[in-house]
Amino acid sequence: MSLKRAEPSYEFGGPVGAFFVSFGLPVLVYASTFLCNDLSGCPVPSLLSPSTTTIDRLKQEVGWPSNGFKGLASWDVSGKVLCYYLLNAVLHCLMPGEEVEGVKLACGGKHKYKLNTWSSTIFILTLLAAGTAYQGASFPVWTFIYDNYLHILTANVIISYALATFVYIRSFGVKPGNSEFREIAVGGRTGNMLYDWFIGRELNPRVSLPLLGEIDIKLWCELRPGLLGWMLLDFAFVVHQYKAYGFITDSIVLLTAFQVLYILDAWWMESSVLTTMDITTDGFGFMLSFGDLVWVPFVYSLQARYLAVYPVSLGILSSSGVLGVVAVGYYIFRSANNEKNRFRTNPKDPRVQGLKYLTTKAGSKLLITGWWGIARHINYFGDWIMAWAYCLPTGIAGYIIRPVTLQNVTELVNSESSFFFHKSATQIVEVTQGPAKGYGMFFTYFYLLYFTVLLIHREIRDEEKCERKYGDDWERYREIVCYRIIPGVY
């Protein structure tokens, strides 16, 4: 009698959800780009009075390309973006780095990883810092990024689709018992082509580049082009604010500093990524490809893009409050993760040897004191607190942009809520909140909403995984550690 084949286990709403995520999220990113811009406002005026708007007026306000969809892309910009990817790949392969082993795979083997993200990205940043020191705000890299934002976005969208398709097709070459330890991810075995392409079939796809060597595609995308791209976008927006207004506000400085700290922390703690679900469990498909290369850099930098156009001054009191928020969040996030990593790698470390734990039938040890005795996913709580600090510097967001005459500039220059800059050699524009005040928060606080949903979804996935793995022991653990993410609340 043959065994009944297990039914596919779907997430994200199965194939239907995969379709809407795969083709809906790019539309959402483009919508945020067009509907919150430096041409007419954030949101564009038509959204404030939708009953009176027209398609032609909306196209003008959002800056829709005159040649339609063709104008979303540029061969020249796409080529430069590919050079950026190539530079990251070359530095990864040629620069020295520590070689470590990943977690044990289902086949019994372990992948080896070359860790040099910190040194290679710092090398790139050093070159950019030198160029900026020499040429100031006119350094071409920052101008290129800001002026070609839309085309850079499109290039990354295309790359994410192409990469997801490449690894999907290549995954059919995975053979049982292969010497390279190639495996098909559990979630990518449903047999539904669209869903498996989206969620990722192969667990850890790798590719060997001529003259360079092997690259683990998933880890490389997780830490290299997307995170560095996020940082470079932030820097370009800071430079634009300075070029437009002649000053840099505390809000954009704080926001950029917070995000740079987060990115540098990820690079410095590169080895800790090897134990995350993204690396150990999820296949590499469109979900991670688009998330790493498009969603992270272009959605996470949206607040900096807003502040580049409408400079918010926080003052000492508000700045201190925002600093306090990020300090608390980062302390919880990093302390909890460090505690877990120390306990896993060296339980005799004096900093963790006194912690109590629950030993499961599988032999695993689940912490029930310390940070992980407060909530089962306490690190997510710290992450969520930091997300607030990314949005709060934008304040009660929203602005409109309108051309003004030189006479009007003289009359309005002393207004605290209005800012003026030369859009061109012959045009001066005013940036003011006016009727848009508050409506821009749909854009600048979207990250917080998205991140909340993301963390809850991750927590649910983690819970399901642990319940399958530990069975009754997980029930005992949940009775001891009652809260999921937020102590006393959730």
Side-chain angles (χ1 to χ4, degrees):
M1 182 178 178
S2 61
L3 293 175
K4 184 179 179 180
R5 185 180 179 183
E7 291 296 321
S9 177
Y10 289 129
E11 296 183 78
F12 300 96
V16 175
F19 174 83
F20 282 105
V21 172
S22 299
F23 301 101
L25 287 189
V27 173
L28 185 61
V29 177
Y30 278 110
S32 69
T33 300
F34 283 115
L35 298 178
C36 178
N37 61 49
D38 61 354
L39 297 175
S40 60
C42 180
V44 296
S46 288
L47 295 185
L48 301 177
S49 54
S51 60
T52 61
T53 193
T54 63
I55 294 297
D56 290 337
R57 177 188 170 193
L58 182 61
K59 284 184 175 181
Q60 182 180 11
E61 290 176 351
V62 302
W64 184 253
S66 58
N67 56 343
F69 286 99
K70 291 182 179 179
L72 298 178
S74 161
W75 285 107
D76 176 64
V77 173
S78 296
K80 289 181 172 65
V81 171
L82 286 173
C83 288
Y84 164 76
Y85 276 78
L86 179 61
L87 174 62
N88 274 276
V90 169
L91 290 176
H92 167 70
C93 293
L94 298 186
M95 293 192 72
E98 179 186 6
E99 189 173 89
V100 302
E101 289 186 334
V103 299
K104 191 174 182 179
L105 301 168
C107 65
K110 292 183 179 181
H111 281 305
K112 291 184 178 180
Y113 294 88
K114 181 181 180 181
L115 306 183
N116 64 359
T117 299
W118 176 268
S119 57
S120 57
T121 50
I122 294 300
F123 175 79
I124 294 175
L125 292 174
T126 301
L127 294 179
L128 294 174
T132 305
Y134 180 69
Q135 294 185 292
S138 299
F139 186 48
V141 171
W142 310 128
T143 303
F144 173 82
I145 291 174
Y146 191 87
D147 291 346
N148 296 281
Y149 179 87
L150 177 62
H151 293 156
I152 294 173
L153 167 61
T154 300
N156 281 276
V157 169
I158 294 173
I159 290 171
S160 69
Y161 276 104
L163 187 58
T165 303
F166 168 75
V167 295
Y168 175 77
I169 295 174
R170 191 170 177 269
S171 69
F172 289 96
V174 176
K175 305 298 182 184
N178 64 85
S179 59
E180 295 86 11
F181 304 135
R182 296 178 65 189
E183 291 186 347
I184 300 299
V186 174
R189 302 173 182 173
T190 67
N192 182 282
M193 184 173 67
L194 174 63
Y195 181 83
D196 290 346
W197 170 83
F198 163 76
I199 205 71
R201 287 193 83 244
E202 188 168 354
L203 182 61
N204 300 109
R206 296 183 164 207
V207 62
S208 294
L209 301 178
L211 304 178
L212 295 178
E214 187 178 65
I215 291 180
D216 185 284
I217 296 176
K218 183 160 62 171
L219 181 63
W220 186 78
C221 287
E222 182 96 3
L223 293 173
R224 304 272 179 156
L227 285 184
L228 179 59
W230 176 14
M231 186 184 291
L232 298 185
L233 284 169
D234 277 358
F235 289 160
F237 296 140
V238 172
V239 171
H240 177 78
Q241 187 189 82
Y242 178 77
K243 290 174 68 176
Y245 300 108
F247 58 83
I248 299 175
T249 57
D250 49 8
S251 58
I252 200 169
V253 169
L254 284 176
L255 172 65
T256 303
F258 297 157
Q259 296 185 342
V260 167
L261 173 64
Y262 185 88
I263 296 168
L264 291 177
D265 177 82
W267 291 340
W268 183 257
M269 304 296 294
E270 183 176 10
S271 61
S272 65
V273 178
L274 301 181
T275 60
T276 62
M277 182 176 285
D278 284 356
I279 301 298
T280 64
T281 306
D282 294 334
F284 185 82
F286 180 78
M287 179 182 72
L288 289 181
S289 177
F290 182 82
D292 292 340
L293 306 181
V294 179
W295 191 261
V296 167
F298 292 94
V299 173
Y300 287 22
S301 63
L302 203 155
Q303 294 89 352
R305 183 161 66 88
Y306 172 88
L307 292 172
V309 181
Y310 188 79
V312 176
S313 295
L314 297 175
I316 296 177
L317 187 61
S318 296
S319 295
S320 299
V322 175
L323 279 169
V325 170
V326 78
V328 170
Y330 182 76
Y331 175 73
I332 295 173
F333 171 80
R334 180 45 56 204
S335 297
N337 282 333
N338 283 344
E339 182 181 87
K340 178 181 66 175
N341 288 330
R342 290 180 185 126
F343 185 77
R344 283 181 173 178
T345 57
N346 183 19
K348 295 182 180 180
D349 188 314
R351 290 168 290 187
V352 296
Q353 66 178 358
L355 296 176
K356 296 181 180 180
Y357 54 85
L358 172 68
T359 303
T360 68
K361 298 181 182 69
S364 301
K365 297 176 180 178
L366 305 177
L367 288 170
I368 57 175
T369 60
W371 282 110
W372 300 91
I374 299 174
R376 300 194 293 273
H377 305 278
I378 189 66
N379 56 330
Y380 290 173
F381 182 45
D383 229 353
W384 182 73
I385 293 175
M386 283 192 289
W388 278 93
Y390 295 170
C391 303
L392 290 173
T394 63
I396 309 299
Y399 62 79
I400 57 174
I401 299 176
R402 56 194 180 198
V404 294
T405 64
L406 289 175
Q407 181 180 0
N408 288 337
V409 171
T410 303
E411 295 172 355
L412 298 173
V413 71
N414 294 323
S415 174
E416 294 182 358
S417 60
S418 295
F419 303 91
F420 304 89
F421 69 91
H422 286 79
K423 189 72 175 177
S424 65
T426 59
Q427 183 185 26
I428 297 176
V429 297
E430 176 190 14
V431 184
T432 186
Q433 290 203 288
K437 185 175 182 178
Y439 291 100
M441 295 175 71
F442 288 105
F443 299 94
T444 61
Y445 286 78
F446 170 77
Y447 171 79
L448 180 61
L449 174 63
Y450 148 76
F451 203 63
T452 301
V453 174
L454 173 69
L455 292 180
I456 292 175
H457 177 261
R458 281 187 175 180
E459 180 270 332
I460 292 173
R461 293 182 71 200
D462 291 345
E463 290 281 319
E464 292 175 349
K465 174 189 173 185
C466 291
E467 189 171 2
R468 289 193 302 267
K469 182 177 181 180
Y470 301 121
D472 294 340
D473 290 326
W474 188 250
E475 291 297 327
R476 291 171 53 208
Y477 174 68
R478 289 197 296 192
E479 291 176 0
I480 299 172
V481 184
C482 304
Y483 296 105
R484 295 169 178 258
I485 298 177
I486 305 177
V489 178
Y490 175 75

